[in-house]
Amino acid sequence: METKRSKFKEILEKVSTPETMLQEERKALLSPLIEYVNNITPSRLFRYRPCNEMQFDAFYNDKIYAVNAQMFNDPYDCLTQYDKNYLYNSIKHGSSIEAIKQLRDHLNNGGHLPELWESLYGEERAKMIKDIICNTTDGDLERQVLAFEVNKKDFFNNIDKILKQAEDYLRRNTFIACFSETVKSITMWSHYADSHKGFVLEYDFKNLNCQCDICDKKSTCNDRVLYNIYPIIYDNRRYNATSFVEYYLGLSLGLNAKMNDTMYYTKAALYKSPQWQYEKEWRLFLNKNNSIGLSSLNIQIKPIAVYYGNDMSAINKK
């Protein structure tokens, strides 16, 4: 399976879906990735569960809950790497002419300079920059005379807090349910099934039949939950999210930034340390419109088997 995961990583890293890409183009670009994942998905995947009312309720209703990464037991889960020098140079050399024009119009219509400007440049310099933007002409912009120099030391002193916000944004808006290729891991029974007092549910993702596939509303439904399942990539190197952080910085600066790859969220959540390799993990990603601020999403999929922990109580088995 590790060879298959390596091949999956190779295909995944070649895929980039810009925010501006048309839906049909995105679908065609993702097709080889989805086809490969379908081919390598195990016929059975397992979900370790503790015994409590929430888990029983999910079981009774055939629901799988996906939570954001901030609720995971690994504090490094979904964290990324990024090139600070690249980000510094990106800020230093300013932004696109069109973006500055939009910010200028926003300020001249009574808008405020985003807080990030003050964080990067300091209160006094931020006010000066605001005045410059408000009074700059299209000719100034075309001649590229507008550039905002930021002291490198100050930038690196302030950037970590901003980068932490970007990572938190990624973790808050990625909804994941975790599965394993094995039901026989003593370590996982201990960690995720309450020291063998819980249970494991078995699912068939090869022949997936979930509520949102059955429903005929499809794209017209505001409550529709989209799903994808991918294998974890076990690697000492974290996902390089420099471009995402650059996008986040642009938004924070009030610029009309566009995401270079809408799969940032998924990619960041698929890289884990080889120390976790024994879990043989797959992740189910759920997504729906207007999910920002939610702590979880759920989807209705019926399990095909249940396994009792060795120390599960008689009442819980009943």
Side-chain angles (χ1 to χ4, degrees):
M1 184 63 199
E2 291 316 306
T3 303
K4 294 177 181 178
R5 288 178 189 260
S6 296
K7 178 65 175 177
F8 164 72
K9 175 187 174 184
E10 181 183 326
I11 298 173
L12 179 71
E13 291 184 343
K14 289 179 180 177
V15 173
S16 180
T17 56
E19 188 178 353
T20 54
M21 180 178 280
L22 297 176
Q23 187 63 34
E24 288 304 312
E25 292 178 305
R26 182 180 287 110
K27 186 176 179 181
L29 186 64
L30 290 173
S31 180
L33 176 69
I34 294 171
E35 182 179 350
Y36 184 74
V37 170
N38 287 340
N39 288 335
I40 68 170
T41 301
S43 58
R44 300 290 184 267
L45 287 171
F46 304 93
R47 186 154 162 83
Y48 290 77
R49 301 285 83 192
C51 288
N52 58 47
E53 289 304 317
M54 184 175 73
Q55 300 302 333
F56 290 152
D57 181 71
F59 174 68
Y60 295 148
N61 292 289
D62 296 328
K63 287 186 176 180
I64 295 175
Y65 282 87
V67 299
N68 61 52
Q70 289 183 318
M71 300 177 70
F72 287 2
N73 63 340
D74 177 5
Y76 303 105
D77 209 315
C78 297
L79 296 187
T80 57
Q81 64 174 345
Y82 30 76
D83 185 339
K84 289 185 180 180
N85 282 303
Y86 173 87
L87 294 170
Y88 166 75
N89 288 325
S90 178
I91 295 295
K92 175 184 174 182
H93 293 303
S95 306
S96 72
I97 292 173
E98 189 58 37
I100 294 296
K101 284 181 181 179
Q102 291 182 5
L103 182 58
R104 178 193 61 192
D105 294 343
H106 169 72
L107 293 173
N108 285 330
N109 286 323
H112 298 285
L113 197 67
E115 292 180 6
L116 183 57
W117 287 85
E118 190 170 313
S119 298
L120 288 176
Y121 296 100
E123 183 179 356
E124 192 172 323
R125 184 159 171 75
K127 287 180 179 178
M128 183 179 70
I129 288 172
K130 178 181 178 181
D131 290 338
I132 292 172
I133 293 175
C134 287
N135 293 303
T136 194
T137 66
D138 288 354
D140 291 334
L141 293 174
E142 296 295 339
R143 291 191 297 273
Q144 297 183 335
V145 300
L146 191 64
F148 304 118
E149 185 78 38
V150 57
N151 181 277
K152 198 166 190 176
K153 182 180 178 182
D154 291 340
F155 178 83
F156 284 115
N157 284 340
N158 294 323
I159 196 66
D160 282 332
K161 179 181 178 182
I162 298 161
L163 295 179
K164 178 67 165 57
Q165 291 173 352
E167 284 188 331
D168 287 346
Y169 184 87
L170 267 174
R171 286 161 63 89
R172 283 198 314 271
N173 294 291
T174 307
F175 297 90
I176 302 165
C178 303
F179 299 81
S180 173
E181 295 174 18
T182 179
V183 70
K184 298 180 179 180
S185 170
I186 292 176
T187 305
M188 293 182 71
W189 274 103
S190 299
H191 287 174
Y192 303 117
D194 192 19
S195 299
H196 302 259
K197 300 184 189 71
F199 58 100
V200 168
L201 297 176
E202 179 180 332
Y203 291 89
D204 177 5
F205 283 98
K206 281 286 192 183
N207 301 290
L208 188 57
N209 192 11
C210 70
Q211 189 180 49
C212 276
D213 280 341
I214 300 169
C215 177
D216 59 2
K217 291 182 180 179
K218 299 294 182 183
S219 58
T220 62
C221 178
N222 290 328
D223 294 323
R224 186 185 185 201
V225 177
L226 303 176
Y227 62 88
N228 291 101
I229 189 161
Y230 298 113
I232 282 292
I233 298 166
Y234 295 105
D235 199 320
N236 284 314
R237 179 178 61 86
R238 294 191 181 280
Y239 171 63
N240 189 333
T242 302
S243 294
F244 172 80
V245 177
E246 184 181 27
Y247 155 77
Y248 183 86
L249 280 170
L251 287 184
S252 300
L253 289 167
L255 305 176
N256 187 29
K258 296 294 183 183
M259 200 180 297
N260 289 334
D261 188 1
T262 58
M263 290 192 70
Y264 282 136
Y265 304 95
T266 301
K267 290 176 179 179
L270 286 176
Y271 285 75
K272 290 186 74 171
S273 165
Q275 294 182 46
W276 296 95
Q277 203 157 359
Y278 70 90
E279 293 187 344
K280 300 179 180 179
E281 185 180 351
W282 284 66
R283 289 190 163 179
L284 179 71
F285 292 84
L286 301 186
N287 184 34
K288 65 173 288 190
N289 292 331
N290 302 317
S291 61
I292 293 177
L294 298 179
S295 60
S296 68
L297 294 175
N298 70 80
I299 197 167
Q300 193 168 26
I301 303 175
K302 191 175 184 66
I304 61 173
V306 58
Y307 298 79
Y308 303 131
N310 188 63
D311 295 330
M312 190 179 189
S313 69
I315 187 65
N316 281 335
K317 284 184 182 181
K318 184 177 180 179

